[in-house]
Amino acid sequence: QVQLVDTGGGLVQTGGSLRLSCTASGRSFSSYAMGWFRQAPGKEREFVGAITWIGGSVGYADSVKGRFTISRNNAKNTLYLQMNSLKPEDTAVYYCVARSSYTNVIVTDPSGYNYWGQGTQVTVSS
């Protein structure tokens, strides 16, 4: 079992930066593939990016590629999402996700993740 707590959201102007963190409780954090999804009002949940269990592979949605960076610190049981050059269309609730996996496959379907954080709001003003 893994419990995820997302933090770091807030209000930022267009072009600004934020860093989200996701702290996991439970054992074997390093054996979990981790990622981020987001959901804007009235829209479906959208894949943002993911990183495999030892960071061997990282994948991003085209909409955030080059602006967002995912990283993990297995010693601290923490996942990060560094968001730069933020745009109003990045406004959403961001969710940290996890799945037990030793593969290097990036999963973009939300149904592929067993564990979800509570979400943290990111608002980008124009």
Side-chain angles (χ1 to χ4, degrees):
Q1 279 283 45
V2 173
Q3 291 184 323
L4 306 174
V5 178
D6 314 324
T7 58
L11 173 64
V12 64
Q13 291 186 332
T14 297
S17 298
L18 279 175
R19 188 175 80 157
L20 306 184
S21 298
C22 172
T23 302
S25 62
R27 300 188 300 177
S28 303
F29 173 79
S30 61
S31 68
Y32 287 83
M34 308 288 295
W36 294 93
F37 283 77
R38 67 186 182 186
Q39 188 166 22
K43 295 189 176 181
E44 292 188 354
R45 204 159 283 190
E46 174 189 22
F47 172 76
V48 175
I51 185 168
T52 53
W53 65 292
I54 53 171
S57 294
V58 184
Y60 299 95
D62 287 342
S63 58
V64 306
K65 204 171 290 183
R67 301 187 297 122
F68 290 11
T69 302
I70 289 177
S71 60
R72 65 189 296 165
N73 185 327
N74 287 344
K76 295 185 176 181
N77 281 14
T78 303
L79 175 75
Y80 303 99
L81 179 66
Q82 178 66 45
M83 303 185 294
N84 298 328
S85 302
L86 283 161
K87 305 174 181 179
E89 50 264 44
D90 294 319
T91 295
V93 177
Y94 283 71
Y95 297 91
C96 172
V97 297
R99 59 190 292 265
S100 180
S101 171
Y102 288 102
T103 71
N104 277 324
V105 175
I106 298 295
V107 174
T108 62
D109 188 332
S111 66
Y113 292 88
N114 312 87
Y115 305 101
W116 290 71
Q118 83 286 0
T120 185
Q121 176 71 47
V122 171
T123 303
V124 184
S125 63
S126 56

